[in-house]
Amino acid sequence: QVQLVESGGGSVQAGGSLRLSCAASVYTTCMGWFRQAPEKEREGVATISGLRGTTTYADSVKGRFTISRDGAKNIVYLQMNSLRPEDTAMYYCAADRGWSCGLIQRDFYYWGQGTQVAVSS
């Protein structure tokens, strides 16, 4: 079983920055972040593979968000810059031991409880 603990959410004004962290209890090949805004479906934000560090981003966050991981500590980070009100959502950390590290929810078996991000205009 893999446990994921997220931290780093909060409230910020548009244009500001936040960094989310997610600590996994054990190593997993894929880790990523998904988000769900009120009355919207959950969507992929960014993922990273453990083997080569390959990253994948949603078009809406490219150039603003950066995903990274500390393999030794099984921690994945999401640096969010130039935040916009439309980035407001609950952000979920996800992990899987498989080899498919895309922005597809069903490829991730383990999920965190979520951390709230609110961006005001």
Side-chain angles (χ1 to χ4, degrees):
Q1 191 74 322
V2 178
Q3 294 180 330
L4 303 173
V5 179
E6 301 116 326
S7 61
S11 298
V12 66
Q13 288 189 332
S17 299
L18 285 173
R19 189 175 83 154
L20 306 182
S21 300
C22 173
S25 56
V26 295
Y27 173 81
T28 57
T29 49
C30 294
M31 295 189 77
W33 291 94
F34 292 75
R35 68 185 181 186
Q36 187 169 19
E39 301 181 356
K40 292 188 177 180
E41 293 187 356
R42 191 160 57 183
E43 62 178 0
V45 177
T47 61
I48 185 167
S49 69
L51 186 60
R52 299 183 179 180
T54 303
T55 57
T56 304
Y57 293 94
D59 289 342
S60 59
V61 306
K62 283 181 181 177
R64 300 188 298 122
F65 291 11
T66 302
I67 189 170
S68 60
R69 68 185 291 171
D70 182 333
K73 298 180 180 179
N74 298 326
I75 298 175
V76 65
Y77 302 98
L78 185 67
Q79 178 66 44
M80 305 186 293
N81 298 328
S82 301
L83 282 161
R84 304 167 180 169
E86 54 262 41
D87 294 318
T88 295
M90 184 70 80
Y91 284 70
Y92 296 91
C93 177
D96 198 83
R97 290 171 167 153
W99 297 103
S100 180
C101 272
L103 297 172
I104 302 174
Q105 296 184 52
R106 64 175 180 269
D107 288 341
F108 289 83
Y109 187 80
Y110 303 100
W111 292 83
Q113 294 299 309
T115 184
Q116 182 69 44
V117 170
V119 184
S120 59
S121 58

